[in-house]
């Protein structure tokens, strides 16, 4: 029988970037306070955040997408161990190949950080008028707001893309976004009224 702590430990040991604890607390709180029942998650990893969110209420349903087969397999196993297979559906595919027709209360973007604008633009059509898009990792370990010179070309690329994403959200005519320095940095976007 796996426990939440086991998932956290596994992720830590295997360098799987699951949500930080205050970040996931914020999400679960948001879900509770706003009566969120349907969630689309981009980036399942091993199912940690999906399991935490599903445990908030038994009426919550989550569709979550993961492109990595090994992580997908582990997520399915973990979800079964928690008896949450009725609440969580995992899709094995690249999110850009997935076409969904249902509408969600909450869309949670937590996948490849260089593609956030594309995820946002692709899936906003699946967001209810009263819905919310939450994006994780907008601070990227503090690098996004820092002036320090970044050695790694790869990391530099991610930071540039995240800065573009924040600018995209700040200047967005359709959505109003609030930014929180919680966890690794969280954006909460709602349709403009
Ligand atoms: N939400 C999880 C952590 C996700 S880590 C949690 O907090 O528990 C990000 C995951 O997104 C990785 O497992 C990665 O394989 C997946 N991913 C990245 N780009 C993707 C894409 N385009 N489609 C589907 N999954 C993707
Ligand atoms: Mg994340």
């Amino acid at each position: 029988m796996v426990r939440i702590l086991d998932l956290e430990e596994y992720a830590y040991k295997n360098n799987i970037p699951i949500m930080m604890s205050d970040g996931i607390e914020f999400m679960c709180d948001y879900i509770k306070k706003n009566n969120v029942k349907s969630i689309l998650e981009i980036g399942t990893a091993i199912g940690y955040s999906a399991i935490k969110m599903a445990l908030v209420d038994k009426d919550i349903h989550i569709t979550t997408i993961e492109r990595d087969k090994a992580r997908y397999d582990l997520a399915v196993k973990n979800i079964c161990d928690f008896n949450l297979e009725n609440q969580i559906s995992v899709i094995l595919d690249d999110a850009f190949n997935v076409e969904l027709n249902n509408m969600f209360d909450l869309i949670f973007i937590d996948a490849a950080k260089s593609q956030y604008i594309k995820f946002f633009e692709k899936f906003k059509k699946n967001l209810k008028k009263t819905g919310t898009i939450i994006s994780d990792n907008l601070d990227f370990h503090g690098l996004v707001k820092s002036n320090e010179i970044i050695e790694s070309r790869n990391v530099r690329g991610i930071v540039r893309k995240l800065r573009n994403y924040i600018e995209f959200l700040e200047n967005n005519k359709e959505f109003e976004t609030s930014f929180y320095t919680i966890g690794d940095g969280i954006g909460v976007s709602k349709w403009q009224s």
Side-chain angles (χ1 to χ4, degrees), residues 2 7 10 16 18 41 43-51 64-85 88-92:
V2 268
L7 299 183
Y10 180 91
I16 296 169
I18 62 169
E41 175 181 68
T44 317
I46 60 169
Y48 172 76
S49 52
I51 290 169
T64 179
I65 310 172
E66 175 57 52
R67 67 178 174 191
D68 181 275
K69 173 79 164 88
R71 288 187 182 179
Y72 163 86
D73 286 341
L74 200 50
V76 169
K77 181 195 166 291
N78 290 333
I79 290 161
C80 285
D81 276 350
F82 276 87
N83 289 316
L84 290 170
E85 58 271 45
I88 307 174
S89 320
V90 195
I91 298 173
L92 171 63

Side-chain angles (χ1 to χ4, degrees), residues 11-177:
Y12 180 74
K13 282 188 181 147
N14 294 280
N15 269 317
I16 296 169
I18 62 169
M19 273 209 111
M20 291 169 69
S21 55
D22 50 344
I24 190 69
E25 282 328 311
F26 174 89
M27 290 279 295
C28 290
D29 225 53
Y30 190 91
I31 289 167
K32 224 177 288 175
K33 286 197 183 117
N34 295 279
N35 203 28
V36 167
K37 297 296 178 212
S38 53
I39 303 172
L40 170 64
E41 175 181 68
I42 327 282
T44 317
I46 60 169
Y48 172 76
S49 52
I51 290 169
K52 288 281 276 188
M53 294 190 287
L55 290 172
V56 170
D57 191 294
K58 59 175 174 17
D59 292 332
I60 292 172
H61 191 270
I62 303 170
T63 302
T64 179
I65 310 172
E66 175 57 52
R67 67 178 174 191
D68 181 275
K69 173 79 164 88
R71 288 187 182 179
Y72 163 86
D73 286 341
L74 200 50
V76 169
K77 181 195 166 291
N78 290 333
I79 290 161
C80 285
D81 276 350
F82 276 87
N83 289 316
L84 290 170
E85 58 271 45
N86 293 331
Q87 274 181 261
I88 307 174
S89 320
V90 195
I91 298 173
L92 171 63
D93 207 339
D94 191 298
F96 292 113
N97 297 331
V98 177
E99 280 309 324
L100 296 169
N101 298 316
N102 17 353
M103 302 295 282
F104 297 91
D105 293 322
L106 175 69
I107 297 179
F108 176 38
I109 303 178
D110 193 22
K113 292 179 259 299
S114 53
Q115 314 262 26
Y116 273 21
I117 295 181
K118 282 172 69 189
F119 292 132
F120 193 101
E121 290 290 37
K122 177 175 167 70
F123 289 106
K124 69 182 185 192
K125 65 175 179 301
N126 296 99
L127 186 70
K128 289 184 191 171
K129 280 294 157 219
T130 53
T132 310
I133 299 183
I134 293 187
S135 320
D136 187 35
N137 305 105
L138 300 188
D139 292 343
F140 197 35
H141 316 300
L143 291 174
V144 172
K145 288 180 195 151
S146 132
N147 293 322
E148 82 182 74
I149 291 157
I150 301 163
E151 294 286 340
S152 151
R153 192 164 166 262
N154 180 32
V155 173
R156 218 161 44 227
I158 292 172
V159 168
R160 183 171 30 85
K161 291 288 185 81
L162 284 171
R163 285 178 183 151
N164 288 347
Y165 181 61
I166 290 166
E167 209 179 292
F168 159 86
L169 292 176
E170 283 172 344
N171 300 324
N172 205 289
K173 297 270 173 328
E174 286 178 306
F175 285 85
E176 177 93 61
T177 300

